[in-house]
Amino acid sequence: MAIVVNLDVVMAKRKISLSELAAKIDITLANLSILKNNKAKAIRFTTLEAICRALDCQPGDILEFTPEGQIGDIEDE
């Protein structure tokens, strides 16, 4: 996948747990985990906005484009 989700990196910098973030943005822990682990196929803008508000960051801090075959390109294992 050419889009890499760096949510775990931003969460670590902000010292916030997955369950704490899920509660803040009113999303299930399972769905947030799917996003964090690069398994999501899409994200709603409202969810992205809520994450950015809660973590005080920009969408580009969370989402990164990498050309196919480069580091961060994780296929289904």
Side-chain angles (χ1 to χ4, degrees):
M1 181 182 300
I3 301 295
V4 177
V5 180
N6 293 314
L7 183 58
D8 54 343
V9 175
V10 179
M11 287 172 54
K13 288 180 182 177
R14 304 298 193 275
K15 298 179 182 173
I16 187 170
S17 70
L18 193 67
S19 57
E20 187 179 351
L21 181 59
K24 277 188 175 188
I25 65 171
D26 195 29
I27 190 173
T28 66
L29 190 58
N31 283 338
L32 190 57
S33 181
I34 288 168
L35 181 62
K36 182 179 93 64
N37 293 316
N38 277 301
K39 300 294 182 188
K41 299 293 181 192
I43 183 171
R44 292 177 189 228
F45 283 149
T46 53
T47 302
L48 184 58
E49 179 182 353
I51 291 170
C52 289
R53 262 187 219 284
L55 297 177
D56 189 30
C57 66
Q58 294 294 313
D61 297 331
I62 297 170
L63 303 175
E64 174 186 357
F65 172 77
T66 55
E68 294 291 333
Q70 301 243 338
I71 295 175
D73 184 21
I74 302 172
E75 293 295 321
D76 293 330
E77 297 176 358

